[in-house]
Amino acid sequence: MSPRRGGLLLMAGAVLWGTTGTAQALGPDGSTPLAVGAARLVFGSVLLVAWVHLIRRRVGEREGSAVGSGRRWRIALLGGLAVAGYQVAFFAAVDQAGVALGTAVTIGSAPTLTGVLEAVLHRRAPNLRWRVATVISTLGVVLLAGPGAGDVVVTGVLLAVLAGASYAVYTLSAKALIDGGMPSDLAMSRIFLAGGVVLLPVLLLSDRTGLGTGRGVVMVLWLAAATIVAAYLLFGVGLSFVSASAAATLSLAEPLTAAVLGLAVLGERLSAAAAIGCGLILLGLVVLVAGPRVGSASSEPRVSAR
């Protein structure tokens, strides 16, 4: 698979992520964002582990690699903590700073933080194409969120940056496992197993009103199966062929999808600035995907994902 096709798979996963807000909006009344986020991760992790271990492969298959077993689990635990931390920090940021500002800071900061961490850890600065695409797309996210985000709450902004950093750590953890020789779907299952265990107490202690109704069950099943299992399997395969920084930028297809669904399904309207923001996000993604390497970390992929 070429890096360009890997980038397209990453974008496909981001498109599925973009359905999360619409699914929640169509879900039952009274369900809290924190309970929905925790249910999504807990049940999604269960389905993902079942898919990988019971259907696709036996446990322990292809264990030999440059990354030792003990280190693998440490990396997976770090990634799982980051996945869980993202859920908690993001929903808290939205509560403190508002939906528009919290989302803009979280999604806008994630690609930059991922690129910086990748450069520091691997001493490999992202290329010029990535920098141009990231600046264009991040500006688009800011415009898409809109200027009417309300008063800036410093705590909320800091929580949003923490959520962006959590996404960066998760992406780099998954990339480390994959580059170490672990099949992408197995890497995803381990990270999400750790994240699901971390958030299980949150789910049990939160207000689960509505989640047990028919609409609630359908919503949770979609969030778990589509936005966790399918989306992260696509993300993992794509991550085998592109750099972590490029993956973070390509994931900005998520807010673009959310905006389109808001128009088509929820009857929302876009301001002129938001429409320009959508165009800039799309332009940034095209700039990155159209590149000959799409931010690939090496000329030859080190892992053949299955």
Side-chain angles (χ1 to χ4, degrees), residues 38 41-43 45-46 80 83-84 191-201:
L41 184 56
V42 170
F43 291 107
S45 66
V46 171
V83 167
I191 287 175
F192 276 85
L193 175 61
V197 170
V198 171
L199 275 194
L200 180 58

Side-chain angles (χ1 to χ4, degrees), residues 22 26 259-268:
T22 301
L26 296 175
V260 172
L261 288 176
L263 285 170
V265 179
L266 302 179
E268 297 177 350

Side-chain angles (χ1 to χ4, degrees), residues 33 111 144 175 180 227 239:
L144 179 59
K175 182 65 174 172
T227 72
L239 193 59

Side-chain angles (χ1 to χ4, degrees), residues 16-254:
L16 288 174
W17 294 334
T19 66
T20 301
T22 301
Q24 183 177 346
L26 296 175
D29 296 331
S31 57
T32 65
L34 184 58
V36 172
R40 170 182 179 247
L41 184 56
V42 170
F43 291 107
S45 66
V46 171
L47 290 178
L48 185 58
V49 170
W51 173 267
V52 172
H53 290 277
L54 301 180
I55 299 177
R56 298 199 61 199
R57 65 182 74 250
R58 293 177 302 174
V59 176
E61 184 179 354
R62 290 184 61 183
E63 284 295 310
S65 74
V67 180
S69 179
R71 188 186 173 203
R72 280 177 175 164
W73 279 110
R74 288 194 296 271
I75 294 174
L77 178 59
L78 177 62
L81 290 172
V83 167
Y86 175 87
Q87 301 284 336
V88 175
F90 175 73
F91 287 122
V94 167
D95 181 64
Q96 290 285 325
V99 174
L101 183 60
T103 301
V105 174
T106 297
I107 298 177
S109 65
T112 301
L113 291 172
T114 304
V116 170
L117 283 176
E118 185 176 53
V120 171
L121 293 175
H122 301 294
R123 298 181 181 179
R124 181 177 61 240
N127 59 31
L128 179 60
R129 183 181 293 274
W130 175 87
R131 292 195 289 270
V132 171
T134 299
V135 170
I136 293 173
S137 295
T138 301
L139 177 59
V141 171
V142 174
L143 290 175
L144 179 59
D151 297 332
V152 175
V153 179
V154 176
T155 302
V157 171
L158 292 177
L159 285 167
V161 173
L162 178 60
S166 297
Y167 176 87
V169 172
Y170 152 72
T171 302
L172 289 167
S173 298
K175 182 65 174 172
L177 290 175
I178 293 169
D179 281 353
M182 182 178 289
S184 61
D185 51 357
L186 187 57
M188 294 297 139
S189 70
R190 289 195 174 183
I191 287 175
F192 276 85
L193 175 61
V197 170
V198 171
L199 275 194
L200 180 58
V202 175
L203 176 61
L204 295 177
L205 295 175
S206 61
D207 182 5
R208 300 185 298 279
T209 301
L211 295 185
T213 64
R215 291 174 64 185
V217 171
V218 171
M219 177 189 68
V220 172
L221 284 176
W222 172 262
L223 292 176
T227 72
I228 293 291
V229 179
Y232 280 100
L233 287 175
L234 289 168
F235 181 84
V237 175
L239 193 59
S240 302
F241 299 92
V242 305
S243 66
S245 54
T249 300
L250 291 170
S251 68
L252 292 179
E254 176 185 357

